Amino acid sequence: MANKKNGAVLRYNRWGYIFLIPFIVVFIIFQFIPLISTIYNSFFEHYFKNGLTEVGPTFIGLANYAELFTSGDLPKYLANTLIMWIIGFVPQILVSLLLAAWFSDPSLRLKYQQFFKTVIYLPNLIMASAFAMLFFTLFSDGGPINSLLMQLGIFSEPYKFLSHAGSARSLVGFMNFLMWFGNTTILLLAGMLGIDTSLFEAAEVDGATSTQVFFKITLPLLRPILVYVMVTSLIGGLQMFDVPQILTNGQGNPARTTMTLIMYLNKHLYSKNYGLGGALSVILFVITGILSVIVFRMNKATEK
Amino acid sequence: MRASSKGLNVHTRRVISYVVLVLVTILCLFWFYVLFVNATRSHADLTKGFRALPSTNALKNVNSLLHSSNLPILSGLFNSVLVAGCTALLSTYFSTMTAYAIHAYDFKLKNFMFTFILGIMMIPTQVTALGFIQLMRKMHLMNSFIPLIIPAIAAPAVFFYMKQYMESTLPLELLEAARIDGAGEFRTFNQIALPLMKPAIAVQAIFSFVGSWNNYFTPALVLTEDSKKTLPILIASLRSADYLKFDMGQVYMMITFSILPVIVVYLVLSKNIVSGLAVGAVKG
């Protein structure tokens, strides 16, 4: 590199900065300044009483943060979010592992792989709000699913899916599962195809069954990707919004058991609760930041 | 580990995997099948319950949806296409430019910038939304498409994909040759680098388009006038109105309108999309 550094090259290299200008300018205006002002807002008492009378802004230090934690709403909504994430993530990782193992197994020689991959990835591209509206109509008390279940004789009367905490949360988790397991399968498949095939051949020579190969070779070697999938999914899970918002019309029914953190933030944004909304944003920012650092470290480690 | 698994031969395992794959396929497609069937049924028919086969009311539902007074579907469709189209264009063009800056040049802050862009990749738009909306209000950009389109210029994930792709397809010798031929740096980027990046741009354009098309959170905060609303906001307004008073055939047709374009484009281009995903995933 050093022997190339003459005047002409340096003059060219100035263009590196020039080509970065659009990114940097847009980042500063639309992300950096908003981030700073969000953090700034979190230290002030600033809201609209009854939506009309402006209160503040008055500097109150960390009082907004204290209120979020002591009022009990934040822990409750964090728990809701995590519960619905787990309901979706556990089946997602199991099904994805199974499908990826089958797709990558050379002895199975599955046909129509492209078709199956296309189908399982499809739900990921569907507008989440439309998908949630669809599920709302399908699972409503007089909707097609209830009528189908009654026609099949499974239920004698409509089951109110959205009136019970368990079924409403499961519905959100199930939709998250549907939307993301295809994506996870393709990620895990890429990881499995990257494993040195001589390991599998050696195992075969030693007489290992496919189940043994999966648990003793594939799974341990896949651990970094599994952790990566889990952390990125958790980051995405914390941002869960569209599905529960539309499904419950922003209410988090029944009894706010499906209210997620971002739905809570959205409420503050609509009612212009700048102080509390700011504090909530900062908390979410810190949590995602910590999780991102984990992902970042792992990417660095795997690149070396 | 169960001893019996030793006994499963390849043939049995193949049959099991096909059965499971078919079940998974049904699980994925069932909802959309019911949606398309229901979009062809009349409101009166829909109240009678589940039906497995399509009816003949599709055109009537389309017609009543287009002439509905409380759902500005045509302007919603237009707004969605406009916002998503501009987002895809800007996002891919400028992300390629950003990647090009890091790939083709050597400058002091190069490594710092690369790490920095990757570092901000995971910041969710939601956590900056409060400051973002305040700023847009001050800049008088509420009910404008600018806050939804321009930020796409700084898209770290698209940048990262482009950077990865460049490493394998854009040799620096080629750019050197263009320089010797006397091409300016900006022209070299537009006429030599950009055409070579076409496959990557196509994949990312689709993802940016779909991402923007489906986006609900930020547009719902920025766009409050009916004439400016995009499809996801209209869908949400279906839910927040007393939905029982709606013509259900119309509701299903509206959902179909919002997701069918994406499904069609996806099925046409699925080969590129799914393999493109795997390319990104290897480094993931």
Side-chain angles (χ1 to χ4, degrees):
Chain A
M1 211 71 71
N3 57 340
K4 267 195 183 175
K5 281 210 169 156
N6 53 47
V9 169
L10 279 181
R11 209 165 51 242
Y12 288 135
N13 286 339
R14 222 188 41 215
W15 279 85
Y17 291 107
I18 298 173
F19 280 139
L20 278 178
I21 290 172
F23 184 98
I24 293 170
V25 169
V26 168
F27 170 75
I28 289 176
I29 297 176
F30 291 96
Q31 267 197 289
F32 188 68
I33 295 174
L35 178 64
I36 299 300
S37 90
T38 304
I39 297 172
Y40 179 84
N41 269 289
S42 71
F43 300 117
F44 285 82
E45 179 180 43
H46 191 190
Y47 62 96
F48 287 79
K49 219 180 215 166
N50 309 321
L52 289 168
T53 341
E54 190 168 3
V55 179
T58 334
F59 182 78
I60 50 166
L62 296 172
N64 285 323
Y65 294 90
E67 191 185 333
L68 278 178
F69 281 103
T70 50
S71 73
D73 284 345
L74 180 77
K76 182 180 162 84
Y77 301 147
L78 178 64
N80 288 344
T81 312
L82 289 178
I83 289 169
M84 290 191 284
W85 173 70
I86 291 168
I87 293 175
F89 184 73
V90 171
Q92 178 191 320
I93 202 79
L94 293 178
V95 172
S96 298
L97 269 175
L98 190 65
L99 296 188
W102 283 341
F103 283 142
S104 65
D105 189 339
S107 68
L108 277 180
R109 291 191 311 277
L110 289 181
K111 284 178 193 161
Y112 316 112
Q113 283 208 21
Q114 184 67 31
F115 168 78
F116 289 124
K117 283 181 205 163
T118 304
V119 167
I120 60 173
Y121 192 74
L122 176 70
N124 190 259
L125 293 170
I126 299 302
M127 186 186 289
S129 47
F131 200 37
M133 185 65 199
L134 175 63
F135 265 61
F136 172 71
T137 52
L138 295 184
F139 283 87
S140 63
D141 300 347
I145 299 295
N146 263 319
S147 95
L148 181 66
L149 289 173
M150 281 156 68
Q151 278 169 28
L152 292 174
I154 298 173
F155 289 145
S156 54
E157 56 187 71
Y159 184 77
K160 295 183 189 307
F161 285 98
L162 291 166
S163 308
H164 305 276
S167 54
R169 281 171 170 171
S170 302
L171 215 49
V172 175
F174 176 64
M175 291 184 65
N176 282 325
F177 157 73
L178 265 187
M179 288 193 290
W180 289 100
F181 84 98
N183 189 62
T184 307
T185 304
I186 286 164
L187 269 172
L188 294 179
L189 179 59
M192 287 182 186
L193 291 175
I195 296 174
D196 189 354
T197 45
S198 63
L199 288 173
F200 296 120
E201 283 155 16
E204 205 173 317
V205 171
D206 291 346
T209 65
S210 60
T211 321
Q212 280 171 329
V213 170
F214 179 76
F215 283 102
K216 298 271 162 72
I217 298 177
T218 313
L219 217 48
L221 286 172
L222 217 54
R223 218 181 65 117
I225 295 182
L226 282 174
V227 177
Y228 171 82
V229 165
M230 194 180 103
V231 178
T232 47
S233 165
L234 182 56
I235 293 174
L238 288 172
Q239 294 164 37
M240 197 187 297
F241 173 70
D242 294 21
V243 168
Q245 173 81 11
I246 305 280
L247 207 58
T248 68
N249 196 17
Q251 304 302 310
N253 288 336
R256 296 182 298 148
T257 49
T258 55
M259 179 77 97
T260 66
L261 289 171
I262 300 292
M263 286 167 75
Y264 185 44
L265 174 65
N266 193 54
K267 276 201 156 172
H268 286 311
L269 292 180
Y270 266 98
S271 43
K272 297 186 183 173
N273 281 335
Y274 295 128
L276 282 176
L280 181 57
S281 302
V282 172
I283 292 169
L284 283 166
F285 177 68
V286 171
I287 299 176
T288 349
I290 294 169
L291 293 171
S292 302
V293 169
I294 297 174
V295 173
F296 200 64
R297 284 265 164 84
M298 284 181 49
N299 278 346
K300 271 270 157 81
T302 47
E303 262 166 42
K304 270 167 195 165
Chain B
M1 206 154 300
R2 299 194 335 271
S4 64
S5 67
K6 273 205 160 68
L8 290 179
N9 60 21
V10 171
H11 183 72
T12 323
R13 288 200 297 126
R14 193 176 293 147
V15 171
I16 294 173
S17 46
Y18 277 126
V19 170
V20 173
L21 279 169
V22 168
L23 289 177
V24 167
T25 304
I26 294 172
L27 188 71
C28 284
L29 299 182
F30 172 74
W31 323 101
F32 304 111
Y33 179 73
V34 178
L35 168 67
F36 297 144
V37 168
N38 282 358
T40 67
R41 299 169 63 192
S42 69
H43 183 73
D45 184 22
L46 281 163
T47 54
K48 285 182 204 148
F50 178 81
R51 234 175 82 157
L53 292 172
S55 177
T56 53
N57 219 46
L59 285 177
K60 257 189 201 154
N61 285 340
V62 172
N63 204 34
S64 72
L65 186 61
L66 292 180
H67 294 98
S68 150
S69 51
N70 43 10
L71 276 177
I73 171 90
L74 279 180
S75 75
L77 208 56
F78 174 79
N79 295 340
S80 275
V81 171
L82 182 69
V83 171
C86 292
T87 301
L89 266 178
L90 288 186
S91 179
T92 48
Y93 181 78
F94 284 102
S95 297
T96 313
M97 184 183 271
T98 312
Y100 186 76
I102 304 278
H103 178 71
Y105 301 100
D106 250 322
F107 50 97
K108 235 194 215 157
L109 294 176
K110 176 179 163 136
N111 287 326
F112 167 78
M113 279 310 295
F114 185 58
T115 315
F116 176 76
I117 297 176
L118 291 191
I120 59 175
M121 181 140 65
M122 294 287 185
I123 301 179
T125 48
Q126 290 96 327
V127 306
T128 57
L130 185 126
F132 182 79
I133 294 299
Q134 277 184 329
L135 185 67
M136 292 310 114
R137 226 176 251 137
K138 274 185 205 141
M139 292 166 79
H140 302 288
L141 287 175
M142 294 301 270
N143 283 307
S144 147
F145 293 146
I146 291 172
L148 305 177
I149 295 171
I150 301 295
I153 289 174
V158 185
F159 155 83
F160 186 61
Y161 186 91
M162 295 301 182
K163 177 76 175 46
Q164 300 285 86
Y165 194 86
M166 260 178 204
E167 269 164 22
S168 59
T169 53
L170 197 65
L172 294 178
E173 293 79 24
L174 192 70
L175 308 174
E176 205 62 52
R179 254 173 223 157
I180 291 165
D181 290 347
E185 297 300 301
F186 193 60
R187 230 185 99 192
T188 310
F189 169 70
N190 279 319
Q191 298 192 347
I192 295 178
L194 218 49
L196 282 171
M197 294 294 291
K198 259 184 198 160
I201 291 176
V203 170
Q204 287 305 312
I206 295 163
F207 279 111
S208 305
F209 186 94
V210 171
S212 168
W213 178 270
N214 294 346
N215 192 9
Y216 170 56
F217 184 82
T218 314
L221 290 168
V222 173
L223 309 172
T224 50
E225 279 168 23
D226 266 359
S227 64
K228 298 282 182 175
K229 284 179 178 170
T230 54
L231 289 176
I233 311 177
L234 294 180
I235 296 266
S237 71
L238 272 182
R239 174 66 180 90
S240 53
D242 181 13
Y243 106 107
L244 286 174
K245 73 172 191 243
F246 273 102
D247 177 336
M248 285 311 291
Q250 206 176 314
V251 170
Y252 284 114
M253 192 49 93
M254 169 87 193
I255 300 173
T256 307
F257 256 61
S258 334
I259 67 176
L260 199 59
V262 171
I263 293 184
V264 170
V265 172
Y266 172 64
L267 291 182
V268 171
L269 301 170
S270 63
K271 241 186 189 142
N272 305 323
I273 294 177
V274 174
S275 58
L277 274 173
V279 170
V282 177
K283 269 261 172 154

